[in-house]
Amino acid sequence: MKLGRALVLAVVVAVPLAAPAVATPPDAATAEVAQAVRAGTLGQDHGVADSCTGVVQGHQVDLGCLTNVVTRDKASADPLTTPAPAGFSPADLARAYHLPDAKTGERGMVTIVGIGAYPTLEADLTTYRSQFGLPECTTADGCLKITDYHGGPPLKPADGLGEIEEAYATETALDVDLASAACPMCRITMVQIPMDVGRLLNAVLLQLPGQLADDFGTAVSYAASLHSSAVSMSYGVPTGLQGDYLGTGAPAVALHHPGMAVVAASGDKGYLGGPQLWPQELPWVTSVGGTSLSGSGASFVQKAWGSLFTPHGEQQRWVGAGSGCALDLGPAQGQPAAIAANCSGHRAGSDVSAVADPLTGVAVYRSYAPNNGKAGWLVVGGTSAASPFVAGLYARGGRLSGVDGPNTLYSAPPGTLADVSAGSNAQHGPADCAQFKPVVCSAGPGWDGPTGLGVPVGLGAF
């Protein structure tokens, strides 16, 4: 039985956002990139780089954020930077997801939880919103708030960590831009967790992520104290040796706030057959998967995101929306037994999805590049794009009184979520998830792991 579903989405139409008041027109090269994004052919001439890795105290580590950037060409690791936006715009996303005009909906608060300083955040967000004709959102007018995870002043840049801060700034730019695209009239709060190298290394090298998870719990609890409508975390850490603590201990409890949508990215490494990433695995967190989006105007097609790519100087690897089974946890809140049965009665991820493939990526503006990066417009993807977008829809839809994790999605009215029935996030398709059911790693009719219940159709599910 389909729950809150529609037939496969191929063509959607919606009222576009207002025309931009100030916009930089694309040059010929940028226009060519923009056309390739929408045609789904960008991978013919460009590569993808994981922007969430870096060297910390001599160790190459995964930084936990879930962002991938398009590179200048297939042989380069340098991000493609253009003078005007080439990725999907807010108006494109509004059409792809049947969103109403920008002024329709509640004007809630979207809180983004991230790591590290970003001194040009307000200026960069202003550039993005101005480019696309979105209303101003500044600290002066009360729309934008930037604090540390206790409500203190914004973080200051850390000495000697330029590479790491640039990576985290790219993540944060993506987060606030996509929250703006989903809910142009919403307030945005950025909650910054201080960069603690010791805690990061403990999580990555010693498989002890408990202290880092505690920091996210503190940040989400602070977001709840602000009466946020929704909070987004575009981060995912393996539970390592502390699965019980992360699954049922203090950080898990700190992320449970009925009445506030708590949303997290499902991951960017495709189907995970073993332990899942935290926090998206938690039953009271909405796990957001990802799609490849192609099309323009009034016609868009989506499929589950999964593909091979070869990073500069590295071996070929698989990327895609995360999915899998959290075998030490019960089903997600509101998740029907028939769906949990795909994971032997345990939490099955993901719950819902939106665009995430960097090769059909979104436009993001970032000027803070302390590692000698280039300021400008990027084409970015990852489930880090989908998570803040969905959080923005929760805040804009405003039906939050009964929200407890993804429960209201599983009882959403028919036609408010569109099924995605093509594609896989596993390199070898259903064979890779043979220990469970094929739908855990391959899209098909009804719920599936890579895309959950499907993609939004307007605000009705939120």
mmCIF file of all heavy atoms in Angstrom, residues 41 45 59 226 408 447:
data_model
loop_
_atom_site.group_PDB
_atom_site.id
_atom_site.type_symbol
_atom_site.label_atom_id
_atom_site.label_comp_id
_atom_site.label_asym_id
_atom_site.label_seq_id
_atom_site.Cartn_x
_atom_site.Cartn_y
_atom_site.Cartn_z
ATOM 1 N N THR A 41 24.080 16.183 -18.278
ATOM 2 C CA THR A 41 25.275 15.785 -19.017
ATOM 3 C C THR A 41 26.550 16.429 -18.489
ATOM 4 O O THR A 41 27.602 16.350 -19.135
ATOM 5 C CB THR A 41 25.117 16.166 -20.505
ATOM 6 O OG1 THR A 41 24.920 17.596 -20.624
ATOM 7 C CG2 THR A 41 23.928 15.443 -21.122
ATOM 8 N N ASP A 45 32.172 16.404 -19.017
ATOM 9 C CA ASP A 45 33.350 17.265 -19.050
ATOM 10 C C ASP A 45 33.864 17.676 -17.673
ATOM 11 O O ASP A 45 34.933 18.285 -17.574
ATOM 12 C CB ASP A 45 33.047 18.543 -19.850
ATOM 13 C CG ASP A 45 32.705 18.252 -21.296
ATOM 14 O OD1 ASP A 45 33.470 17.506 -21.941
ATOM 15 O OD2 ASP A 45 31.668 18.745 -21.767
ATOM 16 N N HIS A 59 46.612 13.676 9.433
ATOM 17 C CA HIS A 59 45.695 12.590 9.060
ATOM 18 C C HIS A 59 44.678 13.099 8.044
ATOM 19 O O HIS A 59 44.060 14.141 8.244
ATOM 20 C CB HIS A 59 44.952 12.056 10.290
ATOM 21 C CG HIS A 59 45.835 11.514 11.363
ATOM 22 N ND1 HIS A 59 46.378 10.245 11.313
ATOM 23 C CD2 HIS A 59 46.293 12.078 12.507
ATOM 24 C CE1 HIS A 59 47.116 10.039 12.396
ATOM 25 N NE2 HIS A 59 47.076 11.134 13.136
ATOM 26 N N LEU A 226 14.791 28.218 20.963
ATOM 27 C CA LEU A 226 14.428 29.377 20.154
ATOM 28 C C LEU A 226 13.060 29.209 19.499
ATOM 29 O O LEU A 226 12.612 30.100 18.778
ATOM 30 C CB LEU A 226 15.476 29.603 19.057
ATOM 31 C CG LEU A 226 16.905 29.902 19.499
ATOM 32 C CD1 LEU A 226 17.812 29.998 18.280
ATOM 33 C CD2 LEU A 226 16.969 31.186 20.316
ATOM 34 N N THR A 408 4.571 12.396 10.253
ATOM 35 C CA THR A 408 3.516 13.005 9.437
ATOM 36 C C THR A 408 3.729 12.761 7.945
ATOM 37 O O THR A 408 2.771 12.812 7.170
ATOM 38 C CB THR A 408 3.414 14.508 9.704
ATOM 39 O OG1 THR A 408 4.697 15.120 9.501
ATOM 40 C CG2 THR A 408 2.957 14.768 11.137
ATOM 41 N N TRP A 447 7.636 2.952 -1.229
ATOM 42 C CA TRP A 447 8.818 3.362 -0.453
ATOM 43 C C TRP A 447 10.065 2.638 -0.929
ATOM 44 O O TRP A 447 10.021 1.457 -1.303
ATOM 45 C CB TRP A 447 8.610 3.055 1.029
ATOM 46 C CG TRP A 447 9.809 3.411 1.866
ATOM 47 C CD1 TRP A 447 10.060 4.596 2.492
ATOM 48 C CD2 TRP A 447 10.953 2.579 2.136
ATOM 49 N NE1 TRP A 447 11.280 4.567 3.137
ATOM 50 C CE2 TRP A 447 11.846 3.339 2.932
ATOM 51 C CE3 TRP A 447 11.314 1.282 1.779
ATOM 52 C CZ2 TRP A 447 13.066 2.830 3.381
ATOM 53 C CZ3 TRP A 447 12.536 0.781 2.218
ATOM 54 C CH2 TRP A 447 13.392 1.543 3.015
#
